[in-house]
Amino acid sequence: MANQLQKSVTTSPKPGLTKEEQHQVSEDMVGLQLQAERIVYSLTFPMVLKAALELGVIDTIASLEDGMWLSASELAFRLPTKPTNPEAPALLDRMMRLLVSHSILKCRLIETGENDQTRKTERVYAAEPVCKFFLKDSDGSGSLLSLFMLCQNHVVFKALAHLKDVVLEGRDAFESAYGMRVFDYIGSDEQFAELFNRGMTESSTMVMKKVLELY
């Protein structure tokens, strides 16, 4: 797709420009188009991170001893719920490569096999320091995990789809989506209420612990 966009730009140079100027304009336009494409697919990253958290990918990798790395196949075997899909390692590898591009995980290539005929390269992964903020709050020190899951919840997404109503009609986005204020909805949806309360509590705990450390 990017190649098609580039072709459409480079085959239509502006008249009156030198070749160097035309080339620079083409490069600038391609850069802008790629930036626009990143915006188009910007929702992919939080959804992939959400899936990784739900699968236990982040907890599993973060629990490794220092210096230990896992391949996608090894990770699939260690997940809390073992995948029955034979393509799971390949899919996990694609997910983790995206997380690497956002500095959630780190990656390196290693060689496997004992000789030239069996030797191949394989990606292995380890956790970046930011992962610690998305681990389950098992010791009461706080976490951003529940708050992140709250922000990616379908209830929130439905409300966000009504942001235009705020501008056009001055209506509350959540009320436009559900016919009631947000706290009234929380009182009517036990599952969402639990997620909301956990998200607020765990994130506040983490912040307040840091405040107390500083003061």
Side-chain angles (χ1 to χ4, degrees):
M1 182 176 180
N3 290 336
Q4 293 176 340
L5 291 172
Q6 184 174 9
K7 183 177 179 181
S8 67
V9 172
T10 55
T11 55
S12 304
K14 292 183 178 181
L17 297 179
T18 66
K19 287 185 178 181
E20 290 77 9
E21 290 172 332
Q22 291 175 6
H23 179 70
Q24 185 61 51
V25 169
S26 296
E27 285 193 342
D28 291 345
M29 287 301 297
V30 169
L32 289 173
Q33 289 167 343
L34 292 175
Q35 179 184 355
E37 287 191 22
R38 285 195 294 270
I39 294 172
V40 169
Y41 298 114
S42 60
L43 188 59
T44 304
F45 165 64
M47 290 294 98
V48 169
L49 178 56
K50 179 176 182 287
L53 291 167
E54 291 172 333
L55 289 167
V57 169
I58 304 302
D59 279 315
T60 300
I61 293 182
S63 67
L64 298 176
E65 296 179 2
D66 289 342
M68 189 174 179
W69 299 64
L70 285 183
S71 68
S73 297
E74 292 169 330
L75 175 65
F77 181 76
R78 288 170 174 251
L79 290 180
T81 302
K82 304 297 184 293
T84 57
N85 177 13
E87 298 297 321
L91 296 172
L92 284 169
D93 188 65
R94 294 178 65 180
M95 292 173 63
M96 290 190 292
R97 285 160 63 186
L98 179 63
L99 297 179
V100 168
S101 73
H102 287 78
S103 300
I104 302 295
L105 301 177
K106 51 188 173 183
C107 172
R108 69 181 185 183
L109 288 174
I110 62 170
E111 287 190 350
T112 61
E114 298 179 354
N115 53 57
D116 291 338
Q117 292 182 339
T118 61
R119 186 172 293 124
K120 63 178 182 178
T121 58
E122 183 178 38
R123 280 180 291 272
V124 291
Y125 300 89
E128 289 281 18
V130 73
C131 282
K132 66 182 180 181
F133 295 108
F134 295 99
L135 302 179
K136 293 178 181 177
D137 184 22
S138 57
D139 60 358
S141 61
S143 171
L144 292 178
L145 170 61
S146 294
L147 182 60
F148 175 81
M149 300 302 281
L150 173 67
C151 292
Q152 313 310 316
N153 189 273
H154 66 91
V155 173
V156 175
F157 272 20
K158 184 176 178 180
L160 291 175
H162 289 265
L163 286 177
K164 68 179 186 301
D165 297 336
V166 178
V167 177
L168 295 176
E169 305 170 12
R171 297 177 61 189
D172 178 81
F174 204 95
E175 191 170 1
S176 293
Y178 294 98
M180 63 182 80
R181 292 284 185 173
V182 60
F183 286 104
D184 294 328
Y185 180 86
I186 291 173
S188 69
D189 187 331
E190 184 176 345
Q191 186 176 10
F192 184 74
E194 181 182 353
L195 178 60
F196 180 87
N197 291 332
R198 193 165 63 246
M200 296 297 105
T201 300
E202 292 178 1
S203 59
S204 298
T205 298
M206 188 179 67
V207 172
M208 288 308 299
K209 283 181 70 69
K210 182 58 64 176
V211 170
L212 293 174
E213 287 176 9
L214 294 175
Y215 290 94

